[in-house]
Amino acid sequence: MAERNKHQSLIGMRLEELETYIEELGLEKFRAKQIFKWIYSKNVRDIDNLSDISKDARLKLQADPKALPIGSLNLITHQISKDGTEKFLFETKSGEKVESVLMKFEERDSVSACISSQIGCAVGCPFCATGTLGFKKNLSAAEIIEQVLFMQNISGERIDNIVYMGQGEPLSNYDNVVESIRMLRELVGIGVRHITVSTSGIVPRIDQLAKENLQINLALSLHDPTDEGRDFLVPINKKWPVLEVINSLNRYELITNRRVTIEYVMLEGVNDSFEKAKILGELVRNLHCNINLIPYNQTDVSDPFKRSPNSNIKKFKELLEKTSRNKTVTIRRERGHDINAACGQLANKHQ
Ligand code: SAH
Ligand code: SF4
């Protein structure tokens, strides 16, 4: 059975694949659409809860020794922060741990999911908890979208915004990430304009992404406007230096007509000087972009990196607005700090 060999779960199958699969188990083809609705619109995870499918048919879906479950992830822990942010730790079938975060923004009436694309990450940014783990594995498209469905199932919330800002470098797992974006759009019903991919700057993949016609938001983790500084903070810069990555954003913008976001984590004494604010402002002056300053989240007590003081971040922002000629510069609001769910804190201590 081809479908069984290719998949670990019903989540991730295309409708035609699910049709073939259930027909081979002795169910009528039209049931696939019903099952789809249960999985993607009602977040059902248990075959016994497919209540408009007869008991006999449900048994067929479970009895075959090679029958697949609806999802392949297991929930290990679920924590809720004082600010309502929820952190989930999942386990894949092969035993690796995956972290995902759900954030509620009441003022915007929006629920956002921060999802992981890899176990660990090969880029190795020295300030990032995931980076210090090294690369372990790519997640499949199914494992990526299942994080969203599972969080909806547990929290009872409807997610309408997705950021690929959990663990991993999404563009190093390009095919699965693009497939997962298509599935989020077509199966889960998330508007592509509400999906953001954050990258450390894999230039050939940024060029490839521009041609996918996806209309998603792209964010670049720049973190330093000089090659000397960025070689250290985002080591992939040695391969694709600052100017090359900025040029790729220019091409991206030209092809997609989408404004990109520049992310800049504020590290005291490392990249937060006013000189750097000026260089950064001039660097992005001709790029159609917003800039998001991220207050650094310390990963543990021995962390050599420190957060830039708020007064400094404010001054940096003002200088940047001036030198970039009025680009929109925002300061990211922190979420879920008390449960280590904030940006860059997904450490997989359990790995
Ligand atoms: N690998 C991708 C996406 C995941 S990280 C990327 O690097 O863009 C999402 C963002 O969080 C990146 O901008 C990353 O640099 C930032 N980040 C990592 N560790 C952080 C920390 N401890 N505090 C604040 N931001 C952090
Ligand atoms: Fe990887 Fe992003 Fe962390 Fe860098 S910041 S190590 S690219 S996850």
Side-chain angles (χ1 to χ4, degrees):
M1 264 195 185
E3 269 64 34
R4 285 185 200 178
N5 297 335
K6 222 169 93 196
H7 293 278
Q8 295 190 322
S9 58
L10 304 190
I11 291 176
M13 280 189 186
R14 293 272 162 191
L15 184 61
E16 317 77 66
E17 291 175 318
L18 185 62
E19 282 169 352
T20 312
Y21 168 80
I22 64 165
E23 275 187 312
E24 283 171 356
L25 288 180
L27 269 72
E28 307 98 316
K29 188 172 165 186
F30 76 90
R31 298 252 177 240
K33 278 205 177 111
Q34 281 176 302
I35 297 174
F36 246 51
K37 205 170 110 214
W38 283 106
I39 296 178
Y40 295 107
S41 308
K42 302 192 173 169
N43 295 305
V44 164
R45 296 193 51 83
D46 186 344
I47 285 174
D48 281 328
N49 291 340
L50 303 175
S51 51
D52 60 2
I53 297 195
S54 71
K55 192 150 184 233
D56 183 42
R58 291 203 305 264
L59 270 178
K60 284 185 187 153
L61 281 170
Q62 292 166 312
D64 190 291
K66 282 200 193 145
L68 295 171
I70 291 181
S72 75
L73 297 178
N74 264 322
L75 178 68
I76 305 291
T77 57
H78 173 214
Q79 290 166 279
I80 303 182
S81 154
K82 281 184 275 186
D83 66 20
T85 300
E86 301 183 27
K87 184 164 90 168
F88 298 79
L89 177 72
F90 300 115
E91 186 177 51
T92 65
K93 223 176 157 196
S94 44
E96 294 94 2
K97 308 290 189 294
V98 182
E99 282 176 307
S100 325
V101 177
L102 185 132
M103 294 162 281
K104 292 165 219 163
F105 296 95
E106 260 121 42
E107 69 285 4
R108 283 193 258 140
D109 195 21
S110 163
V111 179
S112 207
C114 174
I115 56 173
S116 295
S117 55
Q118 296 182 315
I119 315 275
C121 178
V123 180
C125 306
F127 57 89
C128 168
T130 308
T132 52
L133 273 178
F135 173 72
K136 299 262 156 60
K137 207 175 159 180
N138 280 329
L139 294 178
S140 67
E143 288 164 333
I144 296 173
I145 66 166
E146 192 180 338
Q147 295 169 57
V148 175
L149 295 169
F150 215 144
M151 286 195 279
Q152 292 193 147
N153 170 288
I154 301 288
S155 68
E157 300 282 350
R158 184 98 212 147
I159 291 166
D160 56 17
N161 197 66
I162 311 262
V163 295
Y164 285 75
M165 292 189 189
Q167 295 170 300
E169 167 47 54
L171 298 191
S172 295
N173 183 14
Y174 187 86
D175 290 345
N176 291 337
V177 163
V178 167
E179 171 82 355
S180 71
I181 293 168
R182 297 215 160 95
M183 287 179 170
L184 286 174
R185 176 180 66 189
E186 287 151 32
L187 306 179
V188 189
I190 311 266
V192 269
R193 286 171 187 268
H194 297 271
I195 299 178
T196 301
V197 169
S198 173
T199 180
S200 56
I202 318 284
V203 167
R205 298 285 92 81
I206 293 175
D207 284 327
Q208 195 177 348
L209 190 65
K211 295 179 198 130
E212 302 279 356
N213 194 20
L214 280 173
Q215 296 296 306
I216 52 165
N217 306 304
L218 182 66
L220 172 76
S221 296
L222 189 65
H223 305 330
D224 201 297
T226 67
D227 280 325
E228 200 196 355
R230 196 169 189 264
D231 276 353
F232 168 61
L233 285 181
V234 189
I236 199 117
N237 193 70
K238 293 181 195 136
K239 202 159 181 187
W240 294 291
V242 172
L243 275 183
E244 275 193 38
V245 79
I246 295 291
N247 284 339
S248 77
L249 294 185
N250 267 311
R251 294 191 292 274
Y252 185 88
E253 188 221 305
L254 215 69
I255 293 176
T256 62
N257 227 346
R258 305 280 294 157
R259 185 193 303 255
V260 295
T261 300
I262 300 288
E263 293 169 290
Y264 199 97
V265 63
M266 297 293 291
L267 301 161
E268 183 173 29
V270 178
N271 65 354
D272 66 342
S273 71
F274 301 146
E275 179 60 22
K276 293 228 162 156
K278 271 194 222 152
I279 304 174
L280 175 59
E282 280 158 22
L283 179 70
V284 301
R285 198 176 271 174
N286 297 321
L287 185 68
H288 204 48
C289 67
N290 297 324
I291 304 155
N292 194 214
L293 302 177
I294 314 175
Y296 178 62
N297 295 304
Q298 206 162 318
T299 43
D300 61 46
V301 278
S302 63
D303 193 338
F305 293 99
K306 302 275 171 284
R307 166 194 303 227
S308 191
N310 286 345
S311 57
N312 204 74
I313 301 182
K314 236 181 105 206
K315 187 81 208 293
F316 192 94
K317 172 178 175 329
E318 283 162 16
L319 266 170
L320 190 52
E321 280 163 345
K322 218 182 280 164
T323 50
S324 65
R325 298 218 183 100
N326 294 324
K327 293 268 182 278
T328 303
V329 183
T330 48
I331 300 172
R332 184 172 298 170
R333 194 152 59 94
E334 286 171 74
R335 310 286 307 203
H337 216 304
D338 53 325
I339 55 165
N340 287 342
C343 234
Q345 288 192 319
L346 304 186
N348 260 3
K349 293 198 181 97
H350 334 260
Q351 204 75 249

